[in-house]
Tab-separated table of all heavy atoms in Angstrom:
chain	number	residue	atom	x	y	z
B	102	PHE	N	1.109	-27.272	-10.484
B	102	PHE	CA	-0.270	-27.756	-9.774
B	102	PHE	C	-0.094	-27.888	-8.218
B	102	PHE	O	-0.842	-28.508	-7.518
B	102	PHE	CB	-0.750	-29.083	-10.328
B	102	PHE	CG	-1.761	-28.733	-11.499
B	102	PHE	CD1	-1.295	-28.432	-12.723
B	102	PHE	CD2	-3.071	-28.773	-11.190
B	102	PHE	CE1	-2.232	-28.104	-13.828
B	102	PHE	CE2	-4.089	-28.433	-12.226
B	102	PHE	CZ	-3.643	-28.112	-13.467
B	149	HIS	N	-6.455	-23.157	-6.790
B	149	HIS	CA	-6.434	-24.610	-6.444
B	149	HIS	C	-5.430	-24.860	-5.357
B	149	HIS	O	-5.696	-25.519	-4.353
B	149	HIS	CB	-6.209	-25.480	-7.664
B	149	HIS	CG	-5.388	-26.720	-7.479
B	149	HIS	ND1	-5.911	-27.895	-6.968
B	149	HIS	CD2	-3.973	-26.895	-7.742
B	149	HIS	CE1	-4.888	-28.798	-6.887
B	149	HIS	NE2	-3.830	-28.217	-7.354
B	171	ILE	N	-9.432	-23.369	-9.883
B	171	ILE	CA	-9.663	-24.777	-10.277
B	171	ILE	C	-10.120	-25.527	-8.995
B	171	ILE	O	-9.262	-25.762	-8.186
B	171	ILE	CB	-8.435	-25.422	-10.872
B	171	ILE	CG1	-7.908	-24.585	-12.126
B	171	ILE	CG2	-8.796	-26.778	-11.316
B	171	ILE	CD1	-6.616	-25.174	-12.655
B	172	CYS	N	-11.371	-25.972	-9.066
B	172	CYS	CA	-11.935	-26.432	-7.738
B	172	CYS	C	-12.053	-27.948	-7.714
B	172	CYS	O	-12.356	-28.538	-6.725
B	172	CYS	CB	-13.323	-25.886	-7.529
B	172	CYS	SG	-13.454	-24.089	-7.315
B	173	HIS	N	-12.023	-28.589	-8.858
B	173	HIS	CA	-12.350	-29.981	-8.938
B	173	HIS	C	-11.505	-30.649	-9.998
B	173	HIS	O	-12.076	-31.254	-10.974
B	173	HIS	CB	-13.783	-30.086	-9.211
B	173	HIS	CG	-14.503	-31.459	-8.806
B	173	HIS	ND1	-13.843	-32.299	-7.926
B	173	HIS	CD2	-15.676	-32.012	-9.188
B	173	HIS	CE1	-14.626	-33.332	-7.819
B	173	HIS	NE2	-15.701	-33.227	-8.525
B	174	PRO	N	-10.149	-30.601	-9.855
B	174	PRO	CA	-9.299	-31.084	-10.895
B	174	PRO	C	-9.435	-32.594	-11.240
B	174	PRO	O	-9.072	-32.955	-12.383
B	174	PRO	CB	-7.951	-30.711	-10.340
B	174	PRO	CG	-8.055	-30.548	-8.906
B	174	PRO	CD	-9.468	-30.050	-8.622
B	175	THR	N	-9.825	-33.343	-10.257
B	175	THR	CA	-9.930	-34.794	-10.563
B	175	THR	C	-11.046	-35.020	-11.549
B	175	THR	O	-11.034	-36.124	-12.192
B	175	THR	CB	-10.257	-35.591	-9.384
B	175	THR	OG1	-11.605	-35.213	-8.896
B	175	THR	CG2	-9.209	-35.425	-8.247
B	176	GLN	N	-11.879	-33.973	-11.950
B	176	GLN	CA	-12.912	-34.241	-12.883
B	176	GLN	C	-12.771	-33.183	-13.993
B	176	GLN	O	-13.779	-32.915	-14.755
B	176	GLN	CB	-14.345	-34.039	-12.285
B	176	GLN	CG	-14.571	-35.067	-11.258
B	176	GLN	CD	-14.517	-36.466	-11.681
B	176	GLN	OE1	-14.826	-36.795	-12.732
B	176	GLN	NE2	-14.028	-37.411	-10.776
B	177	SER	N	-11.565	-32.665	-14.233
B	177	SER	CA	-11.419	-31.595	-15.116
B	177	SER	C	-10.233	-31.857	-16.103
B	177	SER	O	-9.244	-32.485	-15.760
B	177	SER	CB	-11.134	-30.335	-14.406
B	177	SER	OG	-10.717	-29.196	-15.232
B	178	GLU	N	-10.401	-31.236	-17.354
B	178	GLU	CA	-9.245	-31.225	-18.277
B	178	GLU	C	-7.999	-30.668	-17.614
B	178	GLU	O	-6.835	-30.885	-17.929
B	178	GLU	CB	-9.644	-30.305	-19.484
B	178	GLU	CG	-10.063	-30.923	-20.684
B	178	GLU	CD	-10.356	-29.946	-21.740
B	178	GLU	OE1	-9.327	-29.316	-22.183
B	178	GLU	OE2	-11.558	-29.800	-22.050
B	179	TRP	N	-8.314	-29.645	-16.699
B	179	TRP	CA	-7.264	-29.005	-15.917
B	179	TRP	C	-7.146	-29.892	-14.674
B	179	TRP	O	-7.470	-29.436	-13.591
B	179	TRP	CB	-7.455	-27.542	-15.613
B	179	TRP	CG	-7.106	-26.636	-16.844
B	179	TRP	CD1	-6.596	-27.047	-17.875
B	179	TRP	CD2	-7.393	-25.274	-16.839
B	179	TRP	NE1	-6.387	-25.881	-18.740
B	179	TRP	CE2	-6.945	-24.814	-18.091
B	179	TRP	CE3	-7.992	-24.332	-16.003
B	179	TRP	CZ2	-7.025	-23.460	-18.502
B	179	TRP	CZ3	-8.101	-23.026	-16.399
B	179	TRP	CH2	-7.500	-22.576	-17.658
B	180	GLY	N	-6.466	-30.911	-14.710
B	180	GLY	CA	-6.169	-31.852	-13.505
B	180	GLY	C	-5.945	-33.261	-13.939
B	180	GLY	O	-4.990	-33.772	-13.613
B	181	ARG	N	-6.851	-33.853	-14.669
B	181	ARG	CA	-6.800	-35.329	-14.858
B	181	ARG	C	-5.395	-35.680	-15.635
B	181	ARG	O	-4.776	-36.605	-15.218
B	181	ARG	CB	-7.925	-35.861	-15.708
B	181	ARG	CG	-9.316	-35.748	-14.891
B	181	ARG	CD	-10.416	-36.389	-15.536
B	181	ARG	NE	-10.242	-37.870	-15.731
B	181	ARG	CZ	-10.466	-38.749	-14.670
B	181	ARG	NH1	-10.897	-38.322	-13.493
B	181	ARG	NH2	-10.227	-40.041	-14.831
B	182	ARG	N	-5.174	-34.930	-16.640
B	182	ARG	CA	-4.018	-35.298	-17.308
B	182	ARG	C	-2.707	-34.994	-16.565
B	182	ARG	O	-1.653	-35.831	-16.646
B	182	ARG	CB	-3.896	-34.473	-18.718
B	182	ARG	CG	-2.893	-34.866	-19.693
B	182	ARG	CD	-3.103	-34.272	-21.089
B	182	ARG	NE	-2.741	-32.915	-21.171
B	182	ARG	CZ	-1.497	-32.468	-21.504
B	182	ARG	NH1	-0.586	-33.338	-21.826
B	182	ARG	NH2	-1.058	-31.245	-21.491
B	184	PHE	N	-2.470	-34.741	-13.254
B	184	PHE	CA	-2.352	-35.640	-12.048
B	184	PHE	C	-1.904	-37.018	-12.564
B	184	PHE	O	-1.170	-37.741	-11.799
B	184	PHE	CB	-3.730	-35.821	-11.328
B	184	PHE	CG	-4.148	-34.621	-10.541
B	184	PHE	CD1	-3.283	-33.437	-10.550
B	184	PHE	CD2	-5.177	-34.547	-9.721
B	184	PHE	CE1	-3.606	-32.253	-9.691
B	184	PHE	CE2	-5.597	-33.386	-9.041
B	184	PHE	CZ	-4.825	-32.282	-9.074
B	188	LEU	N	1.358	-37.873	-10.806
B	188	LEU	CA	0.997	-38.744	-9.587
B	188	LEU	C	0.748	-40.207	-10.001
B	188	LEU	O	0.552	-41.038	-9.052
B	188	LEU	CB	-0.186	-38.247	-8.780
B	188	LEU	CG	-0.009	-36.756	-8.245
B	188	LEU	CD1	-1.362	-36.254	-7.728
B	188	LEU	CD2	1.143	-36.699	-7.166
B	192	GLU	N	-6.114	-42.914	-8.782
B	192	GLU	CA	-6.860	-41.773	-8.509
B	192	GLU	C	-7.004	-41.455	-7.016
B	192	GLU	O	-7.266	-40.251	-6.618
B	192	GLU	CB	-8.242	-41.684	-9.155
B	192	GLU	CG	-8.109	-41.784	-10.731
B	192	GLU	CD	-9.408	-41.457	-11.417
B	192	GLU	OE1	-10.315	-40.868	-10.807
B	192	GLU	OE2	-9.494	-41.701	-12.664
B	193	ALA	N	-6.734	-42.402	-6.287
B	193	ALA	CA	-6.764	-42.210	-4.768
B	193	ALA	C	-5.661	-41.116	-4.378
B	193	ALA	O	-5.956	-40.360	-3.449
B	193	ALA	CB	-6.582	-43.557	-4.027
B	194	ALA	N	-4.554	-41.105	-5.117
B	194	ALA	CA	-3.578	-40.153	-4.746
B	194	ALA	C	-3.889	-38.696	-5.255
B	194	ALA	O	-3.193	-37.727	-4.856
B	194	ALA	CB	-2.225	-40.737	-5.434
B	195	TRP	N	-4.902	-38.744	-6.108
B	195	TRP	CA	-5.397	-37.363	-6.531
B	195	TRP	C	-6.156	-36.555	-5.534
B	195	TRP	O	-6.217	-35.278	-5.606
B	195	TRP	CB	-6.131	-37.528	-7.864
B	195	TRP	CG	-5.429	-38.145	-9.033
B	195	TRP	CD1	-4.291	-38.805	-8.980
B	195	TRP	CD2	-6.014	-38.295	-10.307
B	195	TRP	NE1	-3.948	-39.365	-10.280
B	195	TRP	CE2	-5.012	-38.992	-11.094
B	195	TRP	CE3	-7.171	-37.947	-10.888
B	195	TRP	CZ2	-5.337	-39.360	-12.519
B	195	TRP	CZ3	-7.427	-38.259	-12.252
B	195	TRP	CH2	-6.503	-39.038	-12.977
B	196	ALA	N	-6.875	-37.336	-4.742
B	196	ALA	CA	-7.979	-36.703	-3.839
B	196	ALA	C	-7.331	-35.588	-2.981
B	196	ALA	O	-8.013	-34.605	-2.694
B	196	ALA	CB	-8.683	-37.863	-3.107
B	197	ARG	N	-6.164	-35.854	-2.555
B	197	ARG	CA	-5.636	-34.840	-1.667
B	197	ARG	C	-5.334	-33.487	-2.319
B	197	ARG	O	-4.894	-32.490	-1.711
B	197	ARG	CB	-4.244	-35.291	-1.017
B	197	ARG	CG	-4.476	-36.564	-0.225
B	197	ARG	CD	-3.077	-36.935	0.462
B	197	ARG	NE	-2.052	-37.162	-0.517
B	197	ARG	CZ	-0.752	-37.024	-0.290
B	197	ARG	NH1	-0.402	-36.668	0.918
B	197	ARG	NH2	0.116	-37.301	-1.279
B	198	HIS	N	-5.469	-33.522	-3.630
B	198	HIS	CA	-5.221	-32.307	-4.371
B	198	HIS	C	-6.549	-31.822	-5.193
B	198	HIS	O	-6.430	-31.096	-6.139
B	198	HIS	CB	-4.151	-32.450	-5.315
B	198	HIS	CG	-2.851	-32.669	-4.693
B	198	HIS	ND1	-2.050	-31.739	-4.098
B	198	HIS	CD2	-2.107	-33.848	-4.480
B	198	HIS	CE1	-1.129	-32.216	-3.563
B	198	HIS	NE2	-0.961	-33.520	-3.732
B	199	ASP	N	-7.559	-32.020	-4.524
B	199	ASP	CA	-8.909	-31.658	-5.083
B	199	ASP	C	-9.690	-30.972	-4.167
B	199	ASP	O	-10.191	-31.401	-3.027
B	199	ASP	CB	-9.674	-32.936	-5.600
B	199	ASP	CG	-10.898	-32.522	-6.401
B	199	ASP	OD1	-11.867	-31.932	-5.813
B	199	ASP	OD2	-11.086	-32.813	-7.632
B	200	ALA	N	-9.909	-29.577	-4.386
B	200	ALA	CA	-10.592	-28.740	-3.292
B	200	ALA	C	-11.945	-29.232	-2.946
B	200	ALA	O	-12.402	-29.114	-1.887
B	200	ALA	CB	-10.513	-27.264	-3.800
B	201	THR	N	-12.737	-29.703	-4.000
B	201	THR	CA	-14.075	-30.127	-3.706
B	201	THR	C	-14.082	-31.401	-2.853
B	201	THR	O	-14.885	-31.370	-1.891
B	201	THR	CB	-14.731	-30.442	-5.112
B	201	THR	OG1	-14.829	-29.191	-5.875
B	201	THR	CG2	-16.124	-30.912	-4.886
B	202	LEU	N	-13.243	-32.298	-3.131
B	202	LEU	CA	-13.143	-33.450	-2.333
B	202	LEU	C	-12.721	-33.146	-0.846
B	202	LEU	O	-13.201	-33.699	0.091
B	202	LEU	CB	-12.175	-34.488	-2.907
B	202	LEU	CG	-12.719	-35.005	-4.359
B	202	LEU	CD1	-11.790	-36.082	-4.885
B	202	LEU	CD2	-14.067	-35.531	-4.249
B	226	LYS	N	-13.861	-25.664	-17.018
B	226	LYS	CA	-12.693	-26.475	-16.492
B	226	LYS	C	-12.546	-26.183	-14.917
B	226	LYS	O	-11.713	-26.841	-14.251
B	226	LYS	CB	-11.395	-26.049	-17.188
B	226	LYS	CG	-11.385	-26.396	-18.641
B	226	LYS	CD	-10.095	-25.992	-19.224
B	226	LYS	CE	-10.002	-26.291	-20.663
B	226	LYS	NZ	-10.905	-25.617	-21.571
B	227	LEU	N	-13.302	-25.220	-14.350
B	227	LEU	CA	-13.009	-24.904	-12.940
B	227	LEU	C	-13.726	-25.823	-11.967
B	227	LEU	O	-13.308	-25.912	-10.800
B	227	LEU	CB	-13.384	-23.378	-12.803
B	227	LEU	CG	-12.752	-22.462	-13.720
B	227	LEU	CD1	-13.173	-20.892	-13.439
B	227	LEU	CD2	-11.182	-22.558	-13.487
Side-chain angles (χ1 to χ4, degrees):
Chain B
F102 269 82
H149 148 76
I171 302 174
C172 295
H173 200 16
T175 62
Q176 300 301 323
S177 169
E178 264 181 66
W179 278 354
R181 295 189 63 84
R182 193 168 74 93
F184 287 4
L188 302 172
E192 297 197 16
W195 301 4
R197 295 185 304 153
H198 295 285
D199 185 296
T201 297
L202 301 180
K226 298 181 175 65
L227 301 180

